[in-house]
Amino acid sequence: MGRFLVRRILQGLLVMWLVTIAAFCLFFIDPSGPMSVARRIGGRQATTQQLHRIIHDLGLNQPLYKQYWHFLWGAPGRPGLLQGGLGRDYYFGEPVTHILYQAAPITFSLAIGASVLWLAMGLASGILSAVRPRSFLDRFFTTIALFFYSMPTFVLGLLLLLIFYFDFTTKLHLAWFPAAGYVAFSHNPWEWVHHLILPWMTLAVVSAAAYTRLSRSSMLDVLGEDYIRTARAKGLTERRVVLRHGLRAALTPIVTQFGIDLAVLIGGAIVTEQVFSMQGLGFEAVQAINNQDLPVILGIVIVASAAVVIANIVVDIIYAVLDPRVRLN
Amino acid sequence: MALLEVEDLRVSFATPDGQLDAVRGLSFTVESGKTLGIVGESGSGKSVSTQAIMGLVRGARISGSALFDGNDLLTMDSEALRKIRGAEIGMIFQDPLSSLHPYYRVGWQIIEMIRAHDSSIAKDTARTRAVELLRLVGIPQAENRVDDFPHQFSGGMRQRAMIAMAMALNPKLLIADEPTTALDVTVQAQVLEVMKRLQEEFGTAIIMITHDLGVIAEVADDVVVMYAGAVMEEGARDTIFYDAHHPYAEGLLLSLPGYGTRERLVPIAGQPPSLISLPEGCPFRPRCPYAFDRCTETPPLLDVGDKDDHGSACWLPADRKARAGMRHQPATKRPVAKRAAKK
Ligand SMILES: Nc1ncnc2c1ncn2[C@@H]1O[C@H](COP(=O)(O)OP(=O)(O)O)[C@@H](O)[C@H]1O
Ligand code: SF4
Ligand SMILES: [Mg+2]
């Protein structure tokens, strides 16, 4: 188990290193010279004078290996990645990390709540379907899942807004749901939930559909196993057979998928954040792309990759905790 | 009254190709403390029939009756049946690795069994009992191995653990479905030994399901020979081994290594029939070296021989000599030497 962990973490570090090389190559190498790199970094409105300043500040005419070292470790007065620095955003004139620090909690809140919701909905409906395959309930969940699975996120988001914000407020005069915005949990936990309910539902319902299908098939496989027959032959209650013996084994592929999906979400729930005007990482990413604001894009790419890599390691650890055959080998 | 009386059991599945009749009017009885051997080739319905009795077959049409201590297992409500499962009827299966839950410790699984039927038993009492049971089935250092996971056990130890679990509540009946098939020959003998010892100690009745007549010879008191979901022949063990009547039973005996002389090692030619729309007549007819015109009519289980518990579903005369004359070719048609030369 210890060796397995160390190996996985080393692999993760290797992947992260490759990501930094790829990102560096994409952003800092340009055959037409440092001037066009500077223009990319400086944004659309930068003057020639500013561009020269950028070239000088970032050392863009130094050899590439030195530039990479500066990017990775940093130069005097300019911390690199390993020191937690992501460079300066010339568009807004502040460090990229500032922008990310403000955006990240919003996206995290969105991701955590939505994923808990979708996991609960997906698991519950998937298990109920698998316990009685081809029953009315099974067909019902299958249909619902298919419906939401094929529904684009923005359509669902706008629909929820239309019904729960617009119709409720204007027609029923029930101002139950706010249309937009975000309130920090530390500021007011109730308002935090209040503002997040609709975005959570949007993300959760769309993803739960996939989890309904996944947990149904995983559970169906497991319920056909010999050890389930043994559990029944022991005279356990059906509830215990399904939950203690079935779900325990069916969880493994679901957890794996969950880790990856959560990580991808942490890179930014672009559509949902747009629809509900929440300034999370996805919102910032879109804005940065519109402004051709490369330092921010670079920062988000690095953060998102780190999230995926870390999630993969965590998933492997959970996998090992769940399955003694992995843990004890 | 017999411990278990199964009467006209029928189990069929709806398949895309039509209705599959896996068990077609099966009847047998198990006496308290005795061992009934059910033998037949793979696919003859041994597992389906016993699992149907225990309510472990899903999505099948089941009819008939199975009186256990006078109560019909097939019609009682599921909660009553659940209480019998494990507590009064234990089961072990062919593949002990896949039959134990891979994620739970062996001891935990035995403790769960004990407490499922009496939650007032304290956890550590149940644990002590689990260690005791593991020791009883011959697991060395049971007090340490009780915390192992199934994958840390050898094949033979896993099956011993299954036996320990099935015997935990001292059931009246143990259904063993091919318990030795997945094991090495030496381990097979040890596992059978353990079962026999426990049976003597606790007076448990056993249904021993196998396709191996060697196992039957070891442990059975009475034997049921099954083919295509029905009984072909039944009788006391010695009757079946020394005075078999049914050509299918004879075929099984001839394919048994070490039975009779060496040259007689002949597998039964042909394949078992499809159980979807099986035609009228003796199901063994296409493979039977004795088949004659009457065999297009389905034979009931007829009394044969001088033992009154000896029955055979075959139209052949009871007299051995008269029967022998009706065989199309001699039983020793393909001696071993000739077969070896062909290779
Ligand atoms: N769930 C099922 N659906 C359809 N057919 C089945 C099912 N289970 C068993 N069968 C069929 O029933 C027949 C008897 O199977 P089984 O009892 O497992 O045989 P045995 O244990 O004697 O080898 C086989 O032909 C098998 O294919
Ligand atoms: S009834 Fe006929 S076909 Fe069937 S076993 Fe007897 S002789 Fe063979
Ligand atoms: Mg079987």
Side-chain angles (χ1 to χ4, degrees):
Chain A
M1 178 73 179
R3 270 178 52 198
F4 162 81
L5 251 178
V6 169
R7 205 177 61 224
R8 285 301 287 118
I9 290 173
L10 288 179
Q11 275 172 3
L13 287 176
L14 179 69
V15 171
M16 273 319 292
W17 181 58
L18 293 176
V19 167
T20 64
I21 290 184
F24 176 79
C25 292
L26 272 174
F27 288 100
F28 288 93
I29 298 183
D30 194 316
S32 26
M35 201 57 184
S36 50
V37 178
R39 180 161 293 126
R40 251 188 279 167
I41 294 173
R44 272 183 306 200
Q45 287 105 328
T47 60
T48 318
Q49 203 184 353
Q50 281 170 322
L51 293 186
H52 280 294
R53 228 189 113 77
I54 291 173
I55 293 178
H56 176 259
D57 281 356
L58 298 184
L60 292 183
N61 37 25
Q62 291 183 6
L64 281 178
Y65 73 90
K66 267 195 179 158
Q67 287 189 45
Y68 177 68
W69 179 247
H70 292 158
F71 170 68
L72 195 64
W73 180 250
R78 186 159 66 87
L81 265 183
L82 291 176
Q83 301 186 54
L86 283 168
R88 197 172 175 74
D89 173 28
Y90 289 90
Y91 191 86
F92 289 110
E94 54 181 328
V96 171
T97 43
H98 276 194
I99 298 174
L100 298 190
Y101 276 140
Q102 272 162 23
I106 300 179
T107 299
F108 282 156
S109 305
L110 194 56
I112 297 294
S115 57
V116 167
L117 267 180
W118 90 50
L119 194 62
M121 293 195 284
L123 270 180
S125 56
I127 293 170
L128 285 173
S129 300
V131 169
R132 296 200 198 295
R134 288 179 294 281
S135 66
F136 168 76
L137 210 60
D138 181 21
R139 284 171 217 271
F140 174 75
F141 283 135
T142 303
T143 315
I144 298 255
L146 209 67
F147 178 74
F148 284 115
Y149 193 68
S150 43
M151 179 177 263
T153 316
F154 76 92
V155 174
L156 181 65
L158 289 175
L159 214 62
L160 288 182
L161 262 186
L162 178 70
I163 297 170
F164 289 103
Y165 166 68
F166 191 73
D167 285 356
F168 266 46
T169 316
T170 57
K171 296 193 182 138
L172 305 173
H173 303 289
L174 297 171
W176 283 358
F177 298 98
Y182 171 81
V183 176
F185 182 82
S186 53
H187 184 68
N188 183 341
W190 162 244
E191 282 300 319
W192 177 76
V193 174
H194 192 194
H195 280 78
L196 278 164
I197 289 179
L198 291 185
W200 277 344
M201 288 305 292
T202 307
L203 273 177
V205 167
V206 169
S207 303
Y211 280 76
T212 303
R213 307 304 295 153
L214 181 64
S215 33
R216 178 185 188 271
S217 72
S218 173
M219 196 69 182
L220 266 182
D221 283 350
V222 168
L223 289 180
E225 292 283 348
D226 286 352
Y227 52 80
I228 296 296
R229 183 182 58 193
T230 306
R232 292 204 175 102
K234 284 163 82 172
L236 305 181
T237 58
E238 192 58 23
R239 186 192 178 81
R240 194 175 169 95
V241 171
V242 171
L243 295 181
R244 274 315 264 278
H245 289 245
L247 184 59
R248 177 73 169 75
L251 223 43
T252 315
I254 300 170
V255 166
T256 309
Q257 186 63 38
F258 181 70
I260 307 303
D261 285 355
L262 186 60
V264 169
L265 196 52
I266 283 176
I270 294 180
V271 176
T272 312
E273 289 176 9
Q274 287 292 322
V275 170
F276 294 96
S277 320
M278 305 177 73
Q279 303 187 0
L281 291 173
F283 187 93
E284 294 296 348
V286 172
Q287 206 178 32
I289 290 168
N290 286 336
N291 297 336
Q292 298 185 6
D293 185 1
L294 262 144
V296 173
I297 299 177
L298 180 62
I300 291 178
V301 165
I302 301 272
V303 168
S305 323
V308 171
V309 168
I310 292 171
N312 266 304
I313 296 175
V314 171
V315 160
D316 278 344
I317 294 172
I318 294 178
Y319 203 95
V321 168
L322 283 178
D323 189 342
R325 289 169 300 185
V326 177
R327 188 181 347 139
L328 300 173
N329 278 339
Chain B
M1 187 178 64
L3 180 65
L4 176 67
E5 279 179 68
V6 174
E7 199 49 57
D8 196 29
L9 179 68
R10 290 170 192 277
V11 184
S12 44
F13 298 97
T15 72
D17 303 324
Q19 176 172 319
L20 184 150
D21 300 309
V23 183
R24 306 177 307 118
L26 178 70
S27 305
F28 62 83
T29 55
V30 184
E31 305 292 337
S32 294
K34 290 280 173 62
T35 299
L36 173 73
I38 300 185
V39 65
E41 288 168 299
S42 157
S44 51
K46 307 181 297 290
S47 301
V48 167
S49 50
T50 42
Q51 286 173 26
I53 294 168
M54 298 305 292
L56 297 178
V57 172
R58 320 220 123 196
R61 244 202 8 242
I62 302 172
S63 69
S65 68
L67 299 184
F68 179 75
D69 266 346
N71 302 314
D72 190 356
L73 299 173
L74 296 183
T75 53
M76 67 175 56
D77 69 75
S78 59
E79 182 58 15
L81 184 59
R82 179 187 76 72
K83 285 183 174 149
I84 289 179
R85 281 204 293 261
E88 300 199 39
I89 305 180
M91 290 185 95
I92 58 177
F93 303 99
Q94 173 166 341
D95 183 352
L97 180 58
S98 61
S99 296
L100 287 162
H101 200 299
Y103 292 178
Y104 292 115
R105 294 170 199 280
V106 172
W108 186 94
Q109 300 189 45
I110 299 177
I111 294 168
E112 181 188 40
M113 170 79 165
I114 296 171
R115 299 189 70 229
H117 294 276
D118 185 354
S119 51
S120 71
I121 297 177
K123 275 206 178 115
D124 36 337
T125 316
R127 189 189 152 87
T128 313
R129 173 98 180 106
V131 174
E132 220 170 82
L133 283 159
L134 287 177
R135 203 173 287 134
L136 202 61
V137 295
I139 303 279
Q141 293 167 329
E143 59 288 345
N144 300 327
R145 303 309 294 265
V146 70
D147 289 327
D148 277 5
F149 287 95
H151 75 270
Q152 295 169 301
F153 273 26
S154 70
M157 280 163 65
R158 283 175 204 140
Q159 196 60 292
R160 286 165 194 257
M162 279 296 287
I163 294 172
M165 187 157 78
M167 295 296 289
L169 298 169
N170 194 3
K172 292 179 190 156
L173 174 64
L174 176 69
I175 299 177
D177 191 345
E178 310 245 10
T180 58
T181 304
L183 305 176
D184 294 342
V185 184
T186 46
V187 181
Q188 283 185 8
Q190 294 165 4
V191 166
L192 290 181
E193 208 49 53
V194 167
M195 292 180 65
K196 272 205 285 198
R197 209 184 65 226
L198 291 181
Q199 177 173 40
E200 274 162 30
E201 205 166 320
F202 298 107
T204 322
I206 296 179
I207 297 181
M208 175 63 77
I209 297 172
T210 177
H211 65 268
D212 180 357
L213 273 173
V215 173
I216 298 284
E218 284 280 320
V219 299
D221 297 302
D222 300 299
V223 182
V224 164
V225 180
M226 263 186 91
Y227 185 74
V231 176
M232 293 298 109
E233 183 158 10
E234 65 181 19
R237 175 187 56 184
D238 289 357
T239 312
I240 299 296
F241 275 87
Y242 302 114
D243 196 18
H245 175 271
H246 199 285
Y248 177 61
E250 183 190 71
L252 287 179
L253 286 164
L254 287 174
S255 61
L256 181 67
Y259 178 82
T261 58
R262 262 256 164 254
E263 289 98 304
R264 284 182 155 215
L265 198 82
V266 208
I268 304 176
Q271 294 293 317
S274 157
L275 296 171
I276 299 171
S277 57
L278 199 65
E280 175 74 1
C282 172
F284 190 55
R285 189 165 49 100
R287 303 169 74 185
C288 179
Y290 296 87
F292 60 110
D293 19 336
R294 193 162 180 201
C295 305
T296 50
E297 207 183 309
T298 309
L301 204 59
L302 302 162
D303 257 338
V304 289
D306 22 79
K307 308 272 185 348
D308 51 358
D309 61 352
H310 188 190
S312 170
C314 172
W315 294 122
L316 287 175
D319 180 63
R320 185 190 278 267
K321 282 229 180 63
R323 220 160 57 222
M326 293 177 69
R327 196 177 165 105
H328 306 164
Q329 346 92 12
T332 51
K333 196 178 162 241
R334 291 196 299 158
V336 171
K338 217 169 167 186
R339 270 196 298 160
K342 270 210 313 211
K343 277 190 189 152

